[in-house]
Amino acid sequence: MTGKQEDIIFKDVSEEEVDVFLKRLNIKSKKKKLNPTEIRYIDVAILIADIIIELDDMILIIEFQSTNVDTNDKNRFLAYFSVVNFKKKTKKEVKLLVISTAERSKRVTHIIDDIISFKFDIFSMMDMNGDAIINNIENKMKNNEKITNEELIDLSLVPVMGSENTQVEQIEKSVNLILSINLEDYKVKNLVKSIAYLLADKFLEDGEHKTILCDALGGKMNAVYDYGERRKQEGIKEGSKKMALYMIKKGESDEEIQKETELSLDEIKALRKKTGK
C-alpha cells in the first residue's frame, strides 16, 4: 500500500470516528489524531505500521495479526516502536497494541541480546464471533433495522475475529456488506471503510480480486460496479456448471450441454473428468 493511497483512504476519518474505535478497545482519550504522517511511514520500502493514533498521554501503534506473534514479528514491532520514538515531536510515551485473532490477550516481553527489553500488549479477538456479527448485520438489513456505529466498527474488524470461514472469505463477506450499506448517515463511515481497506490490503494476496475490493472501498465507483458485475457473472458460471454436471449424469452429449449452459467444450470436458463420465 503506497503512501499516496494511504493518505487518500484515511484523509477523511474524524476524531469522533476514532473515538468509537478506541472505545471498542477500551481506550479513553480526549485527543485522537489518526496516523500522524510524520511518523507513520517508518520505512516506505518495508515497514508501514497499520494504524498510529496520537492520544492525550501516548502515541499508540496498532497492528493487526492473524497468526501467532513470532520473533520476526517482535523485531518488526520493535522497529516500529524505535523509529516512532525517534521521529516523534512530543514527550509522549509510545505504546504498541497487537489486535490478534490467533492468541489470547496478554502482555509480551521481547528481550534481545539480554540488553533490550521491549513490551507490548496483545488484544485478543479470538472469542469475538465474526460469523455472528455478519449474521446480525444481514438480519438487520433484511428487516430494515438500524445498524449502530459500534456494529459497523465490529463489521470492519470481522477479518480479525474468530470464524468457521477462512480469513479471505471473511474479508470478502465483510467488504460486501460494507459496500451494500448506505454509510452516509453514520459518523464512523470513513473509518469503517479505511479499516476494511487496510485489512483487505494487508491479508489478501496481490491480484485482480484484491485490487477490485480495495478500489471499491477507496471510492472508485466503477470498481464497485465492476465488482458487482463480476460477482453476478461468477454466480451465473457456477449455476451453469451445476446444470452441466446434472446433464452429464443424465448422459447428455457435450453439444447439448454446451447449448444449454454456454460453457466451452474444454470446460465441459474438465467437468466430465471430475465425474468420471
Side-chain angles (χ1 to χ4, degrees), residues 29-232:
S29 175
K30 290 183 179 179
K31 181 173 183 177
K32 310 151 193 87
K33 183 180 179 182
L34 179 67
N35 285 343
T37 55
E38 71 274 10
I39 59 178
R40 184 174 184 270
Y41 295 98
I42 294 168
D43 183 334
V44 176
I46 57 171
L47 294 174
I48 301 178
D50 286 341
I51 297 176
I52 295 179
I53 306 174
E54 185 176 349
L55 306 175
D56 291 336
D57 58 351
M58 75 174 82
I59 295 173
L60 181 65
I61 305 169
I62 295 177
E63 274 292 300
F64 295 102
Q65 189 84 5
S66 62
T67 58
N68 288 344
V69 174
D70 61 20
T71 301
N72 287 333
D73 293 320
K74 293 175 183 177
N75 289 336
R76 176 166 52 88
F77 298 159
L78 176 59
Y80 295 162
F81 178 86
S82 300
V83 178
V84 170
N85 247 319
F86 174 75
K87 297 176 75 173
K88 69 181 182 181
K89 297 181 180 179
T90 72
K91 294 182 179 180
K92 294 179 180 179
E93 181 182 8
V94 177
K95 289 189 177 181
L96 186 137
L97 177 67
V98 178
I99 298 178
S100 174
T101 186
E103 299 183 72
R104 296 291 177 187
S105 296
K106 59 185 175 182
R107 167 64 62 91
V108 176
T109 301
H110 183 39
I111 300 175
I112 302 176
D113 297 332
D114 296 325
I115 299 173
I116 300 173
S117 179
F118 168 57
K119 296 181 179 180
F120 61 91
D121 292 311
I122 292 179
F123 182 92
S124 177
M125 287 202 161
M126 289 178 64
D127 295 328
M128 291 289 294
N129 190 326
D131 301 330
I133 288 169
I134 286 176
N135 289 337
N136 176 56
I137 296 290
E138 288 177 336
N139 288 332
K140 283 201 165 188
M141 293 177 66
K142 188 183 300 183
N143 297 321
N144 293 318
E145 296 178 22
K146 179 69 174 178
I147 299 168
T148 68
N149 285 286
E150 289 75 12
E151 287 170 334
L152 284 176
I153 290 290
D154 284 347
L155 178 60
S156 70
L157 293 170
V158 156
V160 285
M161 293 180 183
S163 171
E164 294 183 0
N165 300 311
T166 66
Q167 187 174 45
V168 171
E169 289 171 334
Q170 288 301 81
I171 289 173
E172 183 165 329
K173 287 185 176 184
S174 174
V175 171
N176 283 337
L177 279 176
I178 288 170
L179 292 174
S180 66
I181 296 171
N182 183 2
L183 297 176
E184 289 307 309
D185 294 332
Y186 291 93
K187 64 182 180 182
V188 297
K189 60 182 180 181
N190 296 309
L191 184 61
V192 165
K193 288 190 291 186
S194 297
I195 291 174
Y197 181 105
L198 189 153
L199 294 180
D201 184 73
K202 183 182 179 79
F203 293 120
L204 292 180
E205 291 185 6
D206 289 338
E208 183 185 7
H209 185 61
K210 172 179 174 177
T211 300
I212 289 172
L213 288 182
C214 288
D215 281 352
L217 287 165
K220 295 183 180 179
M221 295 313 295
N222 62 314
V224 178
Y225 173 78
D226 291 344
Y227 181 65
E229 284 298 302
R230 179 189 174 116
R231 294 291 295 170
K232 179 180 176 182

